[in-house]
Amino acid sequence: MTQEENNRILIVDDNPAIHADFRKILAPEVKRAVDLAAAEAILFGQTPPSATRKTFEIDSAFQGEEALSMLRSAQAAGRPYALAFVDVRMPPGWDGVQTMIRLWEVAPDLQIVLCTAYSDYSWQEVAEKVSAPHNLVVLKKPFDNIEVLLLAHALCYKWAATQAANAQLEQLNAMVAERTCELDRTNAELRQEIGERRRGEEILRESEERFRAFMDNSPVVAFTKDRNGRYVYLNKAFEKQFGLSRDDATRTDFDLWPAEVAAEMQANDAVVLEAGESREFLERMPLPGRDENQWLVLKFPIRDRHGDRFVGGVAVDITERTQLESQRRQSQKLEAVGQLAGGVAHDFNNILAVIIGYTETLMSLAEPEGTLAQNLSEILKAADRGTGLIAQLLAFSRNQVTWPRIIDVNSTIIDIDKILHRIAGEDIYFTLLLGPEGGCIKAEPGQIEQLIVNLVVNARDSMATGGELRVETEQVVVSNSEAEAEGVTPGEYVLVQVADTGTGMSPETQAHIFEPFFTTKEDGKGTGLGLATCYGIAKQSGGFIRVESELGKGTTFRVYLPRVEPAAVPDLPHPPRASELPKGDESILVVEDEESLREVTVATLRELGYKVREAADGEIAQRMLSASDGIRVDLVLTDVGMPRLDGVTLAHWLETHRPEVRVLLVSGYAGDKRLRDEDVALDHRFLAKPFTRAQLATAVRKALEHKRETSPVSA
């Protein structure tokens, strides 16, 4: 049975007669119904319609509790009741209203006709007590059969319509629920997508902020350009370096740089875009106020999400590094020249020592006023000039064996007067204005000469079209405040002043002129060491140097050197004779690989009364001294640089095997690392080549009297 055809009716009444009445009305017997139809045909003379009369299925319950039980059973069996006729009064159990309430609890859609002959409840009261008044009809007793039949038909139909509506409603609810679930899922997906997008946007924003913070705080210049060379991004380092703002990010290279520079940049950009990979370039991007500025630029291709191509780049200013590398190469060249000069000077010192030795030997035998003595004196002067030249080579190579001594500044300048005139040249008016009491200083003469020569060369170079150059000396007093500012001792100083009328210098240039390798000259025309050397010599001598200059008006350098009392220097116009030199009768072993120098040294020592043996190198000397009947020797005079066994190694060997023997080391090249051995310096004396007879005699005598525990003093 479908819900649309549900004709099941439950009669709930305590009176059995009422049940019979309802059955007669709603479910009459079939035979009786046919008889009634036939009677109608006889009476009215018509054939009755053939329509089938609807019948109802009637069940009876005599109490409310029984009705509830039957309703539950019908519901469980899937055969629910569509309609119930319920009497109001059904003693002794539930009344009709109570029964309705219980029935609707089980079947809310059940249609109920409340049958009553009394006014037990008003309609208002009934409506307030029941949960579904829309499913309730009140039928007054006695009731009409037709009225009952109509109610049965109408209310059964209403129940079926309600079930259909409920089914449709359930279907709609299911559809709504399903659609709602779909919408909920879609909303959840949208919320998730929105959340992910927001998180992505937040991550992207944080990433952009970190990237911008990184780029803006980076000292490296960074930029991005589109394929047309237009800047689309500049970091703060770029802005700071080039005095630009991010508003300039829409400009091109040709808007920012000279055409030649811009063309080179865009050519490099094209190389990167075409290659599709990063490339390094050296590019010139001048900074404000600077003509030349070199940058190491790493450029790389970039594609955005639209596929557009860009060129990114980071750049580092390598101008100073390039300059330093150039200075380092220049320094290496100078070092190489210095080593070559040192080696040449070492060999030439041996030659000069032979010339000086033999010449002085001959002069000691010649008449002082004779022609031979004069000729020999000229040879000695030439040798002395050669010695000075060698000293300059060694000073240049920083391998000169030097000792500061007291010198007269005026005399030193006069000695190099001709050299200074030649340096100045014919186009420059050169003047010496030496104070009557220039004063003495304690310094290395060669270094002071070099200082003055460097200043004169610098002055000459500033006067390409000629001018005036003056070298002046005088005694001055440096006050306490001046001394404190310069880090020197206050007192009397000798002032050497070199002034010119050249191009002068700007304050910016003056701030750097004493820095090593700083030069304003063209490439290849200056080492940048001249004024730095002057500064070093002045400081090493206990003084200081100052400069005053103005563009277009010239420059004045003032060198302040501490003044000392003059030393008593004997005037020896003629080399002393053998009778005037220190002598002795001790035994000396001369070790020298240069045969000529060894011979003249041996001859000179024998003239001075010493018993002399000789060895051509250190190994021969070692064999002579280590033999079982080894020779008796008081002093070993040995050259430092020799093949097979050098002088320093021989000296160390003597310390162990012949500690009683004194050692006098001889060399003209202080660059030899073996001379820097602290033990050698403390235990042995030293004689520099080339040496005179007097220097040799004095050094030997001091070496023989030297005690190893004393501090080292040059012989």
Side-chain angles (χ1 to χ4, degrees):
M1 180 182 63
T2 64
Q3 290 177 339
E4 291 79 2
E5 298 174 351
N6 186 6
N7 298 321
R8 298 194 72 201
I9 299 174
L10 178 64
I11 309 298
V12 186
D13 197 304
D14 60 337
N15 187 350
I18 298 299
H19 288 273
D21 291 339
F22 275 109
R23 287 183 182 277
K24 291 177 182 178
I25 299 170
L26 300 175
E29 293 180 5
V30 175
K31 181 178 180 301
R32 184 169 179 266
V34 172
D35 291 343
L36 289 173
E40 290 177 359
I42 293 171
L43 291 174
F44 297 106
Q46 295 178 356
T47 302
S50 60
T52 303
R53 180 177 179 178
K54 183 176 182 179
T55 61
F56 298 92
E57 183 180 347
I58 307 298
D59 287 328
S60 297
F62 296 93
Q63 289 292 320
E65 292 86 346
E66 183 185 4
L68 179 61
S69 177
M70 292 177 67
L71 180 64
R72 285 175 174 168
S73 298
Q75 293 286 113
R79 300 181 71 247
Y81 292 106
L83 173 63
F85 286 91
V86 181
D87 190 20
V88 172
R89 292 190 177 192
M90 292 180 293
W94 300 335
D95 64 12
V97 174
Q98 292 174 324
T99 301
M100 285 191 303
I101 294 173
R102 299 296 192 281
L103 295 178
W104 276 335
E105 288 177 355
V106 175
D109 295 331
L110 178 66
Q111 304 297 307
I112 296 178
V113 177
L114 186 62
C115 302
T116 178
Y118 306 97
S119 300
D120 300 271
Y121 300 95
S122 67
W123 171 254
Q124 185 66 31
E125 290 174 332
V126 172
E128 291 177 355
K129 288 180 178 291
V130 299
S131 60
H134 55 281
N135 291 337
L136 175 64
V137 176
V138 177
L139 178 64
K140 294 288 186 175
K141 292 180 181 179
F143 44 76
D144 183 76
N145 293 351
I146 299 301
E147 184 180 9
V148 171
L149 189 60
L150 290 174
L151 285 173
H153 277 277
L155 293 177
C156 284
Y157 178 81
K158 179 184 176 184
W159 182 91
T162 300
Q163 299 310 304
N166 288 341
Q168 290 182 354
L169 182 60
E170 288 179 2
Q171 184 178 4
L172 289 174
N173 287 337
M175 293 174 62
V176 170
E178 181 180 358
R179 184 57 178 163
T180 300
C181 289
E182 292 178 0
L183 290 175
D184 288 342
R185 287 194 299 271
T186 303
N187 287 337
E189 292 174 356
L190 286 175
R191 284 193 297 270
Q192 181 178 0
E193 182 178 349
I194 291 171
E196 291 176 353
R197 181 171 297 180
R198 286 177 178 172
R199 286 192 295 273
E201 291 174 351
E202 184 67 23
I203 293 171
L204 179 60
R205 183 165 53 253
E206 291 177 357
S207 175
E208 289 176 348
E209 289 175 355
R210 284 194 298 269
F211 172 77
R212 188 172 296 277
F214 170 76
M215 295 307 299
D216 284 346
N217 289 281
S218 170
V220 177
V221 166
F223 58 87
T224 305
K225 293 187 282 187
D226 63 21
R227 61 186 303 171
N228 297 318
R230 191 176 305 279
Y231 286 89
V232 296
Y233 169 76
L234 307 174
N235 72 340
K236 285 187 177 179
F238 197 111
E239 296 175 351
K240 182 179 178 181
Q241 288 280 10
F242 299 104
L244 302 173
S245 69
R246 293 187 179 176
D247 295 335
D248 297 309
T250 58
R251 302 169 71 183
T252 68
D253 291 317
F254 287 95
D255 297 323
L256 301 178
W257 321 112
E260 180 183 354
V261 173
E264 179 183 354
M265 290 180 177
Q266 295 212 348
N268 293 339
D269 294 348
V271 170
V272 171
L273 291 174
E274 183 177 354
E277 59 184 14
S278 61
R279 295 290 177 87
E280 283 187 359
F281 302 96
L282 286 177
E283 294 185 347
R284 294 171 297 148
M285 292 186 284
L287 290 174
R290 290 173 62 174
D291 295 333
E292 286 295 330
N293 205 231
Q294 279 199 332
W295 296 79
L296 177 62
V297 185
L298 174 64
K299 293 185 175 181
F300 45 88
I302 302 174
R303 281 187 182 272
D304 65 7
R305 60 192 179 93
H306 302 296
D308 294 331
R309 296 193 300 171
F310 297 84
V311 174
V314 291
V316 179
D317 187 352
I318 61 169
T319 305
E320 293 185 4
R321 189 178 76 180
T322 303
Q323 293 173 348
L324 288 174
E325 289 177 352
S326 176
Q327 293 168 0
R328 180 177 59 83
R329 289 192 295 269
Q330 182 72 3
S331 177
Q332 290 173 340
K333 291 179 182 178
L334 294 174
E335 187 69 25
V337 174
Q339 291 177 356
L340 175 62
V344 172
H346 174 265
D347 294 337
F348 200 54
N349 267 333
N350 287 339
I351 298 173
L352 288 175
V354 173
I355 294 172
I356 292 172
Y358 279 116
T359 302
E360 288 190 335
T361 298
L362 292 174
M363 285 194 68
S364 66
L365 302 174
E367 291 295 329
E369 303 299 331
T371 302
L372 179 60
Q374 292 178 1
N375 292 338
L376 293 173
S377 178
E378 291 300 320
I379 294 175
L380 281 179
K381 289 180 181 180
D384 188 58
R385 287 193 296 273
T387 301
L389 177 61
I390 295 303
Q392 290 181 13
L393 285 174
L394 289 173
F396 173 75
S397 64
R398 288 175 289 179
N399 288 313
Q400 185 180 15
V401 182
T402 61
W403 298 275
R405 54 185 180 271
I406 296 175
I407 59 174
D408 182 271
V409 175
N410 285 352
S411 299
T412 301
I413 295 175
I414 290 172
D415 288 343
I416 60 172
D417 176 49
K418 291 183 179 179
I419 296 175
L420 298 180
H421 274 83
R422 284 198 298 271
I423 292 172
E426 297 179 355
D427 295 336
I428 296 175
Y429 182 71
F430 181 78
T431 307
L432 283 181
L433 298 175
L434 306 180
E437 296 180 358
C440 295
I441 60 172
K442 186 173 184 179
E444 166 58 43
Q447 288 187 338
I448 300 303
E449 291 174 359
Q450 182 181 4
L451 183 151
I452 296 170
V453 167
N454 286 356
L455 292 178
V456 170
V457 168
N458 189 75
R460 178 204 63 192
D461 291 344
S462 70
M463 296 183 289
T465 58
E468 183 178 350
L469 171 59
R470 299 188 313 278
V471 177
E472 306 175 50
T473 62
E474 63 175 309
Q475 290 188 25
V476 296
V477 175
V478 173
S479 65
N480 290 334
S481 59
E482 290 179 308
E484 183 178 357
E486 298 291 346
V488 297
T489 303
E492 294 184 347
Y493 280 71
V494 176
L495 171 62
V496 179
Q497 181 172 288
V498 179
D500 64 66
T501 59
T503 56
M505 294 179 287
S506 66
E508 291 77 13
T509 301
Q510 294 178 49
H512 299 284
I513 55 171
F514 296 121
E515 295 177 2
F517 302 108
F518 179 81
T519 180
T520 58
K521 299 175 183 177
E522 299 177 6
D523 290 343
K525 292 189 178 181
T527 64
L529 292 172
L531 294 178
T533 301
C534 294
Y535 178 87
I537 292 173
K539 286 292 185 181
Q540 185 178 356
S541 302
F544 57 95
I545 184 171
R546 289 177 175 173
V547 61
E548 292 181 8
S549 183
E550 186 176 349
L551 286 174
K553 295 186 178 180
T555 302
T556 299
F557 285 94
R558 294 184 176 87
V559 184
Y560 295 80
L561 302 169
R563 181 183 176 277
V564 298
E565 292 299 324
V569 181
D571 183 16
L572 295 176
H574 189 278
R577 295 179 178 276
S579 59
E580 300 171 349
L581 298 176
K583 297 183 175 62
D585 59 357
E586 289 88 349
S587 178
I588 300 176
L589 174 62
V590 176
V591 187
E592 170 63 62
D593 61 321
E594 183 68 34
E595 183 179 1
S596 299
L597 180 56
R598 186 175 70 249
E599 289 177 355
V600 69
T601 303
V602 168
T604 301
L605 292 175
R606 284 175 176 167
E607 284 185 29
L608 297 174
Y610 296 103
K611 295 184 269 304
V612 185
R613 293 175 179 268
E614 57 184 287
D617 59 56
E619 286 186 353
I620 296 174
Q622 195 176 57
R623 288 197 297 269
M624 294 172 64
L625 293 167
S626 61
S628 56
D629 57 345
I631 60 173
R632 175 185 173 275
V633 173
D634 298 300
L635 173 69
V636 172
L637 187 152
T638 177
D639 188 21
V640 172
M642 294 183 296
R644 290 190 287 274
L645 186 69
D646 61 78
V648 172
T649 304
L650 177 61
H652 285 314
W653 182 85
L654 288 170
E655 291 172 8
T656 303
H657 297 85
R658 299 291 295 272
E660 77 282 1
V661 177
R662 301 289 182 263
V663 177
L664 176 59
L665 297 171
V666 182
S667 179
Y669 180 55
D672 196 321
K673 294 180 180 179
R674 293 164 292 195
L675 288 176
R676 301 172 189 172
D677 189 317
E678 185 176 355
D679 294 335
V680 172
L682 289 173
D683 291 341
H684 310 296
R685 299 188 71 84
F686 178 79
L687 176 62
K689 296 179 183 178
F691 47 79
T692 64
R693 287 164 56 88
Q695 291 170 337
L696 175 63
T698 302
V700 168
R701 193 70 257 158
K702 288 182 178 180
L704 286 167
E705 297 170 357
H706 171 61
K707 294 182 180 181
R708 286 182 182 166
E709 60 270 22
T710 60
S711 299
V713 179
S714 59

